[in-house]
Amino acid sequence: MSRPAVVKALWGTAVLILVAGCSSGGTEDRSGTAPPTSSPPSASASSPASASPPGSSSAPAGGRVTVSGTLTEGLKSPWGLAELPGGDLLVSSRDERTITRVDGRTGAKTSLGEVPGVVPGGEGGLMGLAVRDGWVYAYLTAESDNRIVRMRYGGGDGDRLGAPQPVLTGIPKGVVHNGGRIAFGPDRMLYAGTGETGRTGLAQDRESLGGKILRMTPEGRPAPGNPFAGSVVYSYGHRNVQGIAWDTAGRLWAAEFGQNTWDELNLVEAGKNYGWPEAEGQAGREGFVDPVAQWRTSEASPSGIAYAKGAIWMAGLRGERLWRVPLSGAERSGNPEAFLTEEYGRLRTVLAGGGGRLWLVTSETDTRGTPGPGDDRILRLEVN
């Protein structure tokens, strides 16, 4: 159900009255810098976010997305989303430290309780979720670091989570740029996107876990075939990775926050350097990998991504829209297209549900939105 425009307008007016003269909270993950004094040029829903590659055509026919309904609403600071066998969903609350089970058909919610050891603050808290072989994995902010834990779920315990067991500790934490997305790849290894916590030098330091994409076994050991011996680091030179997904050929894609200029969608390969802080966007500099697509930060601020029907679908926070990036193999085959622009507010997570279905999580209650009645929610989307 579309969010009524009048509700959003009333809430926006109230916020403007309360914070007149203050800076906007919409500049997601732009620490250490002031927002631009003027907004960058805006792209229309069908115009490119960056120039198309030579010889590419416009976006192919099809690939439209429609909202078929609201699965559930009334969620507080939702962040991570994972699908259980059978089709139910688990959703994490970043600030309330809880995991909730959502019936995939009716939207009924069952609280699984708080995850011990989570210390929310700024952009940190209980973030990404993944499910594998009777375990629920969670990326969270603890007292001293960001870490990945896993908890037994199911079996004879009913709707109860087991005690958290550390998988990987020592990921740098900060008020901002904590990364937080985790997912199992086609190789059955666990991947994690991390941030450089505002300390830009961490992204180029291969000894640090900050500003990286990590690859590990389900127990947290360096995965076989990793590019750097004895290390979970898979790629580096990232600013803040909150979206990872694989296409049908097993290629890894990642969405990344830029600073004040370019947000990025990258094709990620083992051992490659993605440039931050030396390069932002398509810099064309030797030794760094350029993004496949880039956006002005006002139009994206990307978080979760998913792959469905030949395209990457990317949720935008500050941009308040869902981007479609059509792909042909390892290249972009057309211009990015925007959908749902400013209809549901900030968009945090998108998850492929199979059969051309997407789940989309809004993020109006994360302290940077203007929540209205029903926020936040999980939407059902159909790609056709």
Side-chain angles (χ1 to χ4, degrees):
M1 173 170 69
S2 177
R3 189 178 190 197
V6 64
V7 171
K8 191 165 186 181
L10 288 171
W11 277 91
T13 301
V15 171
L16 286 172
I17 291 171
L18 288 169
V19 301
C22 298
S23 62
S24 168
T27 51
E28 180 82 12
D29 288 351
R30 318 283 173 207
S31 76
T33 58
T37 55
S38 60
S39 297
S42 176
S44 68
S46 59
S47 64
S50 60
S52 297
S56 71
S57 61
S58 60
R64 315 301 294 178
V65 69
T66 56
V67 177
S68 60
T70 297
L71 176 64
T72 197
E73 57 185 22
L75 300 169
K76 303 304 179 186
S77 62
W79 210 104
L81 190 69
E83 187 168 10
L84 292 166
D88 286 356
L89 302 173
L90 298 182
V91 59
S92 65
S93 169
R94 185 191 68 184
D95 299 338
E96 297 192 345
R97 302 170 290 185
T98 58
I99 295 178
T100 299
R101 181 169 181 154
V102 180
D103 188 292
R105 299 183 306 278
T106 68
K109 293 178 289 188
T110 303
S111 175
L112 305 187
E114 291 189 7
V115 176
V118 180
V119 182
E123 294 170 8
L126 182 58
M127 294 178 281
L129 298 176
V131 174
R132 179 58 59 96
D133 297 335
W135 294 95
V136 174
Y137 290 73
Y139 185 114
L140 60 87
T141 305
E143 185 67 41
S144 60
D145 59 2
N146 286 310
R147 56 182 57 190
I148 300 170
V149 303
R150 65 179 183 175
M151 298 157 281
R152 279 290 184 190
Y153 180 61
D157 293 329
D159 276 333
R160 291 191 302 169
L161 291 168
Q165 300 179 15
V167 173
L168 181 70
T169 62
I171 303 169
K173 63 173 280 189
V175 176
V176 295
H177 305 184
N178 289 290
R181 194 68 62 184
I182 58 175
F184 279 93
D187 55 3
R188 298 184 62 84
M189 297 295 110
L190 179 63
Y191 291 72
T194 74
E196 34 78 305
T197 71
R199 292 176 284 166
T200 58
L202 296 184
Q204 291 293 322
D205 179 2
R206 295 211 305 257
E207 299 301 312
S208 170
L209 300 181
K212 308 294 189 298
I213 293 177
L214 310 177
R215 178 175 177 262
M216 68 202 80
T217 68
E219 297 74 31
R221 294 188 292 271
N226 275 6
F228 309 113
S231 174
V232 295
V233 171
Y234 188 72
S235 63
Y236 64 108
H238 300 287
R239 186 171 184 266
N240 191 24
V241 176
Q242 288 190 7
I244 52 178
W246 290 263
D247 62 25
T248 52
R251 287 177 286 256
L252 174 60
W253 300 84
E256 180 169 347
F257 287 91
Q259 188 162 320
N260 281 331
T261 309
W262 298 114
D263 293 325
E264 301 178 357
L265 176 69
N266 286 295
L267 174 62
V268 177
E269 297 180 290
K272 296 295 181 67
N273 185 344
Y274 289 80
W276 180 255
E278 305 302 323
E280 180 181 357
Q282 294 171 348
R285 294 182 55 181
E286 186 177 356
F288 300 140
V289 179
D290 277 350
V292 173
Q294 63 183 24
W295 292 262
R296 295 290 187 183
T297 58
S298 61
E299 296 176 340
S301 295
S303 190
I305 65 173
Y307 179 84
K309 292 201 172 181
I312 290 290
W313 299 85
M314 186 180 83
L317 288 163
R318 185 181 173 196
E320 297 189 1
R321 66 200 74 180
L322 180 68
W323 284 99
R324 174 183 180 269
V325 184
L327 301 175
S328 177
E331 298 183 353
R332 181 157 57 89
S333 62
N335 297 334
E337 293 182 280
F339 297 89
L340 312 181
T341 302
E342 298 182 347
E343 291 186 34
Y344 296 94
R346 294 160 59 79
L347 305 180
R348 171 68 69 180
T349 297
V350 57
L351 179 70
R357 185 180 72 244
L358 297 172
W359 299 111
L360 181 64
V361 180
T362 67
S363 192
E364 286 289 284
T365 60
D366 66 352
T367 74
R368 290 180 172 175
T370 54
D375 283 328
D376 273 308
R377 60 199 77 209
I378 301 174
L379 303 171
R380 292 188 189 94
L381 274 57
E382 300 294 333
V383 181
N384 45 51

